[in-house]
Structures are given as structure tokens and as C-alpha cells.
């Protein structure tokens, strides 16, 4: 009976963890570039101890990295990063991180930012001069456009660092940015992921969240019902234990 209660408590905790993930997915359904997350629980069997593996479970997090729907914004600083490409930014600690959110802004210091994280350039520091228009080519090259005396001049002022990353080696942190789990993909000289010429962007578009609202709502309802069932199981076992104690006391 104690084992039944213990197993129900473990299942209930796992369901609560799943509900937290689903709630976060639904909360970010309108967040640009957000990737749906889900968790799975795997039974890890020990061949040498088959009869004592009831609690030997591993919980793993996964992300759905499929492309979300595209929103045509017609804004030059809005970018859709194609295929398995990622934009590179600098987090609060100065560490290199990656995002699919292509909603770029220019801060007061002339730096390109995404959600207040500075965008990293490809072997350059990106500085946007004041009072000029810019466009971003599909290769990530940033061009300044100036019009003087009916003459339009264009100059390269930098380039975005675009990277291609293996999805199985990515992990998302609380700040919403992605990082590499392993270091074997890093450049041995710079300690960072190298720029990829194969990755391209499309200006004027933003990738929306890929969260499936109806699917997550169904899973949330299902988890709630399973949680209720586990709570009833615990309550029933507790009452049975109470009745058993009463019978023992009567017999004594």
C-alpha cells in the first residue's frame, strides 16, 4: 500500500511538471520565434536489478523546432531566419546565445538588439549610424542607405552572425535563449560557433510561435484528469490504511 501511494505521488509530481511546461507554451503563444517545449518520462531499466526499477525514471525535455507561421510586417529590421539557422546574441553575462526571434531594434548606442540582448556580428562590431536607413540582405550583410542630392549611396556597415546548430545539442534557459549542451561543435580557436554561409534570412517577415494551442489545451485537460485520479488513489489508500488500523485495534 505504501508503494502504491509513493508511485501515485511520483506520477502526480510528473503531471504537475508537464502542466508547468504546457502553461508556459500557452503563455508564449504570441511570442515571436518561440519554440514549443514538451517533456517525456523514460523508464531506465537496470538489467542487474530488474525487480527494483519502479522509480528509476529519466525526464527529458524536447523542443518542437518546426517553423511557425510567417507574419509579413514589411519592416526592414524584422527577419525570418530560414531552415536550421539561428541569430547570435550576447546574454546578460556576455555569453553567446541563439534565438529565432528576428525582431531587431536599434538602441540609444546604435547597437542592434533583440529583447535587449545585443546582436553579435560576423567578425565585426555592429554600429548603426544615426539618421540613416538600413537594409539587411539575405546573407545577413547590413547595408546603409543614404540619399544626398538625388543620389543614393549604399555602404556595408556590418553583418549578422548566422549559425547552423544541431537541434539535439540545444537547450533553452529561463531567459528564453538557446545554448549548446556540448562543446564539440565550437570553433577550437575562438571557443564559439562559427558563422555559416549556408544560412539566409528574409527581411520584412517574422516567424510566429509554433505552439499548437488546441493540442496543448487537450493535453492540459488530460493531465488535470490524470492528476485528479492520482489524488483519489492516494486518498483511497489512506482511508484503507485507516480502516486497517481500526480493525487491528478492535481485534486487540
Amino acid at each position: 500500500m505504501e508503494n502504491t501511494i509513493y508511485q501515485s505521488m511520483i506520477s502526480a509530481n510528473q503531471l504537475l511538471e508537464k502542466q508547468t511546461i504546457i502553461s508556459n507554451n500557452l503563455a508564449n503563444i504570441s511570442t515571436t520565434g518561440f519554440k514549443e517545449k514538451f517533456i517525456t518520462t523514460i523508464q531506465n531499466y537496470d538489467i542487474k536489478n530488474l525487480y527494483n526499477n519502479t522509480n528509476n525514471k529519466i525526464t527529458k525535455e524536447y523542443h518542437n523546432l518546426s517553423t511557425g507561421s510567417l507574419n509579413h510586417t514589411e519592416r526592414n529590421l524584422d527577419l525570418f531566419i530560414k531552415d536550421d539557422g539561428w541569430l547570435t546574441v550576447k546574454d546578460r553575462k556576455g555569453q553567446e546565445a541563439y534565438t529565432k526571434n528576428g525582431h531587431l531594434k536599434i538602441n540609444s548606442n546604435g547597437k542592434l538588439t533583440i529583447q535587449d540582448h545585443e546582436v553579435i556580428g560576423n567578425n565585426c562590431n555592429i554600429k548603426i549610424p544615426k539618421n540613416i536607413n538600413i537594409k539587411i540582405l539575405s546573407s545577413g550583410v547590413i547595408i546603409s542607405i543614404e540619399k544626398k542630392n538625388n543620389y543614393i549611396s549604399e555602404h556595408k556597415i556590418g553583418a549578422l552572425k548566422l549559425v547552423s546548430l544541431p537541434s539535439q545539442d540545444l537547450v533553452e534557459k529561463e531567459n528564453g535563449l538557446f545554448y549548446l549542451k556540448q562543446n564539440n561543435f565550437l570553433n577550437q580557436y575562438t571557443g564559439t560557433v562559427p558563422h555559416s554561409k549556408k544560412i539566409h534570412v528574409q527581411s520584412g517577415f517574422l516567424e510566429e510561435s509554433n505552439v499548437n494551442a488546441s493540442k496543448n489545451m487537450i493535453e492540459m485537460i488530460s493531465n488535470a484528469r490524470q492528476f485528479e485520479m492520482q489524488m483519489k488513489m492516494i486518498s483511497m489508500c489512506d482511508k484503507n490504511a485507516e480502516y486497517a488500523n481500526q480493525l487491528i485495534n478492535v481485534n486487540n
Side-chain angles (χ1 to χ4, degrees):
M1 188 176 295
E2 290 181 357
N3 185 57
T4 302
I5 294 176
Y6 186 63
Q7 291 298 322
S8 294
M9 285 299 298
I10 291 175
S11 297
N13 286 332
Q14 290 172 347
L15 289 167
L16 285 176
E17 189 175 358
K18 287 183 178 180
Q19 290 295 69
T20 301
I21 297 295
I22 293 172
S23 298
N24 185 61
N25 286 340
L26 293 173
N28 286 280
I29 200 166
S30 59
T31 301
T32 301
F34 181 82
K35 297 303 178 183
E36 183 181 35
K37 184 164 72 171
F38 57 96
I39 61 174
T40 58
T41 303
I42 303 171
Q43 183 73 50
N44 186 24
Y45 287 102
D46 183 358
I47 298 177
K48 296 180 181 179
N49 195 10
L50 288 175
Y51 296 101
N52 191 27
N53 277 292
T54 54
N55 306 319
N56 195 13
K57 295 181 179 180
I58 299 175
T59 300
K60 290 190 175 183
E61 294 186 357
Y62 296 91
H63 283 87
N64 172 15
L65 296 179
S66 63
T67 303
S69 60
L70 296 185
N71 178 20
H72 188 196
T73 65
E74 298 184 359
R75 180 173 173 268
N76 288 343
L77 290 179
D78 284 340
L79 301 177
F80 163 53
I81 306 92
K82 298 181 179 180
D83 303 321
D84 62 345
W86 297 79
L87 280 172
T88 311
V89 297
K90 188 184 297 181
D91 68 12
R92 308 285 185 196
K93 297 179 180 179
Q95 186 177 355
E96 191 171 284
Y98 313 98
T99 181
K100 280 284 190 178
N101 186 342
H103 187 58
L104 278 67
K105 294 182 179 180
I106 304 173
N107 66 14
S108 58
N109 297 321
K111 297 287 188 179
L112 282 178
T113 62
I114 297 174
Q115 294 178 319
D116 295 328
H117 299 292
E118 183 182 340
V119 176
I120 295 177
N122 178 24
N123 295 322
C124 65
N125 291 319
I126 302 173
K127 176 80 172 180
I128 307 298
K130 293 182 178 180
N131 303 321
I132 67 165
N133 294 319
I134 67 170
K135 68 178 180 180
I136 301 177
L137 306 182
S138 63
S139 61
V141 172
I142 305 170
I143 302 294
S144 67
I145 304 173
E146 295 183 272
K147 185 176 181 180
K148 293 182 179 179
N149 300 324
N150 296 324
Y151 177 76
I152 298 177
S153 62
E154 296 186 356
H155 302 282
K156 176 181 175 181
I157 57 176
L160 302 172
K161 182 178 179 180
L162 305 173
V163 298
S164 175
L165 300 173
S167 59
Q168 67 274 12
D169 288 339
L170 287 172
V171 59
E172 184 184 22
K173 294 189 178 180
E174 293 181 358
N175 57 12
L177 300 174
F178 284 80
Y179 297 79
L180 277 178
K181 297 178 188 175
Q182 303 174 5
N183 294 326
N184 56 359
F185 199 70
L186 302 180
N187 186 299
Q188 60 178 331
Y189 300 107
T190 64
T192 59
V193 178
H195 171 80
S196 175
K197 294 182 179 180
K198 296 180 180 179
I199 301 303
H200 294 87
V201 298
Q202 187 170 356
S203 179
F205 288 85
L206 282 178
E207 180 184 352
E208 300 297 333
S209 165
N210 67 352
V211 173
N212 186 320
S214 58
K215 171 188 155 190
N216 278 267
M217 285 298 297
I218 291 171
E219 288 185 359
M220 177 173 278
I221 294 170
S222 175
N223 287 338
R225 289 175 177 172
Q226 291 180 55
F227 181 82
E228 184 180 356
M229 183 179 68
Q230 297 298 335
M231 291 297 100
K232 286 182 178 179
M233 183 73 72
I234 294 172
S235 178
M236 184 175 65
C237 289
D238 189 49
K239 287 180 180 178
N240 287 340
E242 185 179 345
Y243 294 149
N245 289 331
Q246 289 176 358
L247 287 173
I248 292 172
N249 291 332
V250 168
N251 293 330
N252 291 336

